[in-house]
Amino acid sequence: MADLLGSILSSMEKPPSLSDQETRRRAREQAARLKKLQEQEKQQKVEFRKRMEKEVSDFIQDSGQIKKKFQPMNKIERSILHDVVEVAGLTSFSFGEDDECRYVMIFKKEFAPSDEELDSYRRGEEWDPQKAEEKRKLKELAQRQEEEAAQQGPVVVSPTSDYKDKYSHLIGKGAAKDAAHMLQANKTYGCVPVANKRDTRSIEEAMNEIRAKKRLRQSGEELPPTS
């Protein structure tokens, strides 16, 4: 009987120690705090949405406003505002480089921003319609000038005077042609003029000189110098 009772007691789970109880208590407290924070965050989102709905509604009713810029918001707040604007039938955009500095601008549908205006906001600049109109006119003018230049074709540049007339007192008008016809090779560069290459002897004189050279070679005599 004692052995049976001992086996039953040993098989039963031991009561939790003091450390286990403390761990469970802390876990319950942490879960309670997390739930409370979630409820607070949810309530803050509801309140923020109501505030944005009120501001968007006032913006729609104000006929003097065509756009509205909001203060920088975090990602969740921007998402809520974009949703409110979409439901209201307006247009909205986010601008700014850093996430902490990004802000939302809303526009009425009939005054939707142009691409140039959006690019100006993305660069961090204020939109000036007057300057934009002047820039657009200058761009159109430059484009028209390019089109007109393309239709006219390439520009041919003609000199105002002929260089031959300018230096005619030095070289003469026919000097270039005459120099081309009279050009001969210079002896100092190892070239022989054509006139020096021409043989002015008659055929009979040439044949006699060749026979004389042949006889001299056969007799072993020294060839006398030719004039």
Side-chain angles (χ1 to χ4, degrees):
M1 185 66 178
D3 295 337
L4 178 60
L5 181 59
S7 63
I8 292 174
L9 291 175
S10 62
S11 63
M12 293 176 61
E13 294 183 359
K14 295 180 180 181
S17 61
L18 182 61
S19 60
D20 293 338
Q21 292 178 355
E22 182 66 18
T23 302
R24 292 177 183 177
R25 183 184 65 79
R26 291 180 179 178
R28 287 193 299 269
E29 291 179 354
Q30 185 176 1
R33 287 195 299 269
L34 179 60
K35 184 177 181 180
K36 186 177 180 180
L37 290 174
Q38 290 175 345
E39 291 176 353
Q40 291 177 353
E41 184 179 357
K42 183 178 180 180
Q43 184 63 27
Q44 290 175 356
K45 290 180 180 178
V46 172
E47 294 176 356
F48 179 79
R49 186 179 184 92
K50 289 181 180 179
R51 189 166 70 253
M52 292 299 101
E53 288 176 348
K54 176 68 168 55
E55 292 190 23
V56 170
S57 177
D58 294 342
F59 169 73
I60 294 174
Q61 296 176 8
D62 188 353
S63 59
Q65 278 189 307
I66 62 175
K67 60 184 178 181
K68 179 178 176 63
K69 178 180 178 180
F70 290 82
Q71 294 296 323
M73 306 175 182
N74 59 44
K75 186 175 182 180
I76 296 177
E77 292 174 341
R78 293 197 305 271
S79 177
I80 294 174
L81 179 55
H82 284 307
D83 185 63
V84 172
V85 171
E86 184 178 0
V87 173
L90 305 178
T91 304
S92 61
F93 298 91
S94 293
F95 304 102
E97 296 295 334
D98 299 331
D99 187 67
E100 297 179 354
C101 300
R102 286 183 70 80
Y103 62 91
V104 177
M105 288 189 68
I106 64 176
F107 302 82
K108 293 180 179 179
K109 285 288 186 179
E110 58 272 25
F111 299 103
S114 63
D115 293 337
E116 291 81 4
E117 184 175 357
L118 292 176
D119 290 339
S120 178
Y121 295 137
R122 292 189 182 102
R123 293 192 300 267
E125 302 174 356
E126 292 295 332
W127 171 250
D128 190 338
Q130 184 176 358
K131 290 183 178 180
E133 181 65 18
E134 294 176 357
K135 184 178 180 181
R136 185 187 63 81
K137 291 181 179 180
L138 290 175
K139 185 177 180 180
E140 291 180 353
L141 178 61
Q143 186 175 0
R144 286 197 302 268
Q145 291 177 348
E146 290 180 359
E147 292 175 355
E148 293 175 358
Q151 292 176 357
Q152 293 176 358
V155 179
V156 180
V157 180
S158 300
T160 56
S161 62
D162 191 347
Y163 76 95
K164 291 183 293 184
D165 296 336
K166 184 177 180 180
Y167 297 103
S168 60
H169 65 286
L170 298 176
I171 62 175
K173 293 185 177 296
K177 291 184 178 180
D178 296 340
H181 288 296
M182 297 172 61
L183 183 63
Q184 293 183 358
N186 194 330
K187 294 180 180 181
T188 60
Y189 290 97
C191 298
V192 180
V194 176
N196 295 349
K197 292 183 179 180
R198 187 177 299 121
D199 195 348
T200 58
R201 299 173 300 171
S202 64
I203 297 176
E204 184 177 357
E205 290 174 346
M207 293 299 296
N208 290 335
E209 186 175 347
I210 292 172
R211 293 191 189 98
K213 289 179 180 180
K214 186 175 181 181
R215 286 194 300 270
L216 289 174
R217 283 197 301 270
Q218 292 177 353
S219 61
E221 297 180 3
E222 183 179 358
L223 181 65
T226 60
S227 58

